[in-house]
Amino acid sequence: MALLRDPLLNKGTAFTEEERDALGLRGFLPAHVFSMQAQADRVMANLRGLTSDLAKYVALNELHDRNEALFFRVVSDNIDEIQPLIYTPTVGLACQRFGYIFQRPRGLFIGPNDRGHIAELLNNWPYPAKLIVVTDGERILGLGDLGANGMGIPVGKLSLYSACAGVHPELCLPVMLDVGTNNEALLNDPYYIGLRQRRLGGAAYDELVDEFMTAAREVFPGVLIQFEDFANHSAFRLLQKYRDKACVFNDDIQGTAAVALAGLLSALRATGGNLNDQRLLFLGAGEAATGIADLVVSAMMAQGASEAEALRRNWLVDSRGLVVKNRPGLSEHKLRYAHEQAPIGDFLTAIRTLKPTAIIGVAAVGGAFTPEVLQAMTEINDRPIVFALSNPTSKSECSAEEAYRHTEGRALFACGSPYDPVQLNGKTLVPRQGNNSYIFPGVGLGAIASGARLVTDEMFMAAAYTLAHLVDEADILQGSLYPALPRIREVSAHIGAAVAEVAYRRGLATGHVPNDLIGHVQSQMYDPHY
């Protein structure tokens, strides 16, 4: 019976006659032995019969809890259809409704009451974790503070690690640092699963995180830790604190940066432009915006620009308008992009003044790329670059259809949430999601395969260039700035090899460089089958 209750070992009706006899399963299962493909077909038939995406999320979650090999087979074989259900945009709704749909705990919940005992708690985990995705739930997507309900994000991210990059699910550990929530609706929600108190802050918060980081590395030596959906005031600080002494990265800062840089490089193949001639205007000035800008600056410098020249080509707009040098009270992460310029209060005026070649939306302000904004970009540029990267869909700056229609089909568009192809003037334009799932699974795979001691910005630069290189001419011609999602395991393998190469070259890896690096990476990829 234990086999049937362990999702890592359960095969359900696919246990063979021989296995049923050898493992004491006789009588627990109906007579017919199904192939894995037949099981997967049944799952998809049932899934397609459900009428809401949230119901599909719940059904897939049930499968994940019951039979992991079958779950990952279904996800891998139907990635276009399933990824939006297990991650953005549906995971946002699932986190908002987490207390209502909660069935079975997955991962570890760690809170202030566990202080002094976090190592013991981590030792309760029965598997040898090599990868932890951790959140405190304070900034879930563009939805804000969802507290412990944000556990859906680490679970979803790790599902993509296994499906998209073949990191074995046994090695993956989702962690929720449940330090409370300032969301009044959740504090008053009878179904809320988390700690019913205001958020822990200050020194007590830092001490909890520090104990977790120390314990995680002691219990799981060499573990890769991904920070996910921390609020700005924690995200930058924690990354700076740990990045030079532990194998950590922040996907919202570094992963988003790499996928955006890759999209920008692909767009320049369509325009024939040079990276150092671009001017980028960001709607948003938080983790994503400054992370992208930092990586773009590094890429411009690698192509010969001075740091001052590169910085001057990246501008931020926040809730108070254009970030400029003489504005008082700027937070530290904005200061690098606070240039000499008269104050400008709105995004449209900033476009008309600065004349950017690209606008990048990462502020989670739905509909912010208005028809006037898109038309202004078209007046300035023959092929305006328009990235509406906020998610879920309700927070997207514009839809694909709006981006193409208001730029006469000339926009080079990438999105944070999935959109269907758009028919315009007899042409089919195929937008692709600038989703971090193109980057972080491969980065994690490469770090694990090489035994990297640190994750560096150079690795994310290598990931971005590798991803851009994998976009083919047919993609570019139809307006797609990223490879087709069904190629994601191939993409992740190449990114993993590029990341591992940096680790070996910089002396950050364990062991000797393999003769066949991509073969070495591919050999470590989990293939879900019986």
Side-chain angles (χ1 to χ4, degrees):
M1 285 295 289
L3 281 175
L4 299 179
R5 291 171 177 159
D6 186 335
L8 277 169
L9 301 175
N10 181 31
K11 293 160 59 172
T13 55
F15 280 112
T16 65
E17 297 287 354
E18 294 76 17
E19 288 169 332
R20 295 178 189 209
D21 286 332
L23 301 172
L25 295 172
R26 185 65 66 187
F28 291 135
L29 296 163
H32 186 72
V33 176
F34 284 84
S35 68
M36 190 180 213
Q37 187 58 55
Q39 288 180 314
D41 290 344
R42 179 170 56 205
V43 168
M44 291 306 298
N46 279 310
L47 200 65
R48 288 165 181 155
L50 298 174
T51 55
S52 80
D53 287 348
L54 188 62
K56 294 177 182 181
Y57 176 93
V58 171
L60 287 164
N61 210 41
E62 290 171 339
L63 177 61
H64 195 184
D65 287 339
R66 186 172 71 248
N67 183 333
E68 291 213 340
L70 182 57
F71 171 79
F72 287 114
R73 182 79 273 149
V74 166
V75 176
S76 298
D77 289 349
N78 304 275
I79 190 71
D80 266 333
E81 187 173 351
I82 302 295
Q83 180 167 300
L85 298 173
I86 62 171
Y87 202 59
T88 56
T90 308
V91 73
L93 177 60
C95 287
Q96 290 175 305
R97 305 278 296 171
F98 207 75
Y100 293 84
I101 63 173
F102 183 83
Q103 294 173 319
R104 180 175 172 179
R106 176 173 286 274
L108 292 176
F109 293 81
I110 299 172
N113 293 340
D114 300 309
R115 283 292 313 277
H117 302 282
I118 293 178
E120 297 169 37
L121 194 153
L122 290 170
N123 269 308
N124 289 338
W125 189 249
Y127 307 111
K130 289 190 177 181
L131 172 61
I132 292 173
V133 177
V134 59
T135 187
D136 70 353
E138 190 170 6
R139 192 202 63 83
I140 297 298
L141 303 176
L143 302 169
D145 185 352
L146 296 185
N149 285 4
M151 184 55 136
I153 297 294
V155 170
K157 287 274 184 179
L158 287 166
S159 294
L160 295 183
Y161 266 111
S162 297
C164 300
V167 177
H168 198 289
E170 189 178 62
L171 306 178
C172 297
L173 170 57
V175 171
M176 164 56 64
L177 297 179
D178 183 3
V179 295
T181 179
N182 294 334
N183 186 323
E184 289 289 346
L186 291 180
L187 290 172
N188 295 315
D189 182 348
Y191 301 115
Y192 178 55
I193 65 167
L195 198 60
R196 291 169 187 253
Q197 66 178 48
R198 296 252 164 213
R199 276 192 172 273
L200 191 70
Y205 174 88
D206 288 349
E207 288 164 9
L208 180 74
V209 174
D210 204 52
E211 184 183 345
F212 163 71
M213 290 295 295
T214 301
R217 287 175 287 159
E218 287 176 355
V219 175
F220 307 114
V223 68
L224 168 63
I225 300 173
Q226 176 178 323
F227 294 125
E228 190 66 37
D229 283 3
F230 286 78
N232 287 342
H233 62 88
S234 298
F236 292 106
R237 195 168 48 80
L238 294 176
L239 181 60
Q240 288 305 119
K241 182 175 182 179
Y242 296 108
R243 67 185 303 168
D244 294 327
K245 57 184 180 183
C247 189
V248 303
F249 72 93
N250 183 304
D251 186 50
D252 303 302
I253 298 172
Q254 296 161 289
T256 301
V259 79
L261 175 59
L264 188 59
L265 295 171
S266 295
L268 294 179
R269 285 170 55 187
T271 67
N274 186 289
L275 182 63
N276 286 352
D277 295 329
Q278 306 309 304
R279 182 177 287 108
L280 279 61
L281 181 62
F282 294 85
L283 182 62
E287 298 166 56
T290 54
I292 296 168
D294 285 348
L295 197 63
V296 169
V297 166
S298 296
M300 287 178 167
M301 290 170 65
Q303 294 191 12
S306 69
E307 183 176 12
E309 290 168 339
L311 287 170
R312 184 76 185 176
R313 291 192 166 275
N314 291 268
W315 296 76
L316 310 178
V317 172
D318 64 11
S319 60
R320 295 171 56 195
L322 189 67
V323 174
V324 294
K325 184 155 274 183
N326 60 358
R327 188 208 285 181
L330 284 173
S331 54
E332 187 176 344
H333 65 273
K334 298 180 186 180
L335 287 173
R336 196 177 187 216
Y337 299 100
H339 306 307
E340 293 283 0
Q341 171 70 39
I344 296 174
D346 67 283
F347 192 61
L348 181 57
T349 304
I351 290 174
R352 289 176 172 153
T353 304
L354 299 173
K355 296 182 167 39
T357 57
I359 52 173
I360 299 177
V362 282
V365 179
F369 290 176
T370 62
E372 292 77 18
V373 161
L374 295 166
Q375 287 157 10
M377 283 297 291
T378 312
E379 291 164 12
I380 297 164
N381 303 284
D382 182 50
R383 300 295 308 275
I385 298 169
V386 177
F387 288 3
L389 299 182
S390 294
N391 54 50
T393 310
S394 62
K395 301 293 183 180
S396 181
E397 289 77 13
C398 68
S399 68
E401 197 271 337
E402 289 165 342
Y404 293 131
R405 178 157 48 88
H406 295 300
T407 63
E408 302 164 2
R410 287 153 52 189
L412 292 158
F413 179 74
C415 40
S417 293
Y419 287 104
D420 292 331
V422 175
Q423 301 289 334
L424 190 68
N425 301 328
K427 185 176 181 181
T428 301
L429 297 163
V430 183
R432 295 240 166 96
Q433 203 176 348
N435 194 300
N436 292 20
S437 62
Y438 281 113
I439 292 289
F440 72 81
V443 170
L445 174 65
I448 292 169
S450 63
R453 296 195 305 276
L454 300 173
V455 180
T456 65
D457 284 342
E458 186 180 5
M459 293 175 182
F460 282 98
M461 182 84 75
Y465 275 93
T466 301
L467 177 58
H469 179 72
L470 290 167
V471 179
D472 59 36
E473 287 304 316
D475 291 325
I476 298 291
L477 287 172
Q478 66 181 12
S480 301
L481 302 183
Y482 298 98
L485 203 51
R487 294 178 60 199
I488 191 67
R489 285 176 71 94
E490 170 202 351
V491 168
S492 294
H494 282 279
I495 288 176
V499 167
E501 192 277 329
V502 173
Y504 284 111
R505 180 159 41 86
R506 297 300 185 191
L508 296 172
T510 54
H512 299 290
V513 186
N515 292 327
D516 176 9
L517 193 51
I518 186 116
H520 171 68
V521 169
Q522 288 172 326
S523 72
Q524 299 195 34
M525 293 176 70
Y526 162 70
D527 178 29
H529 64 274
Y530 301 145

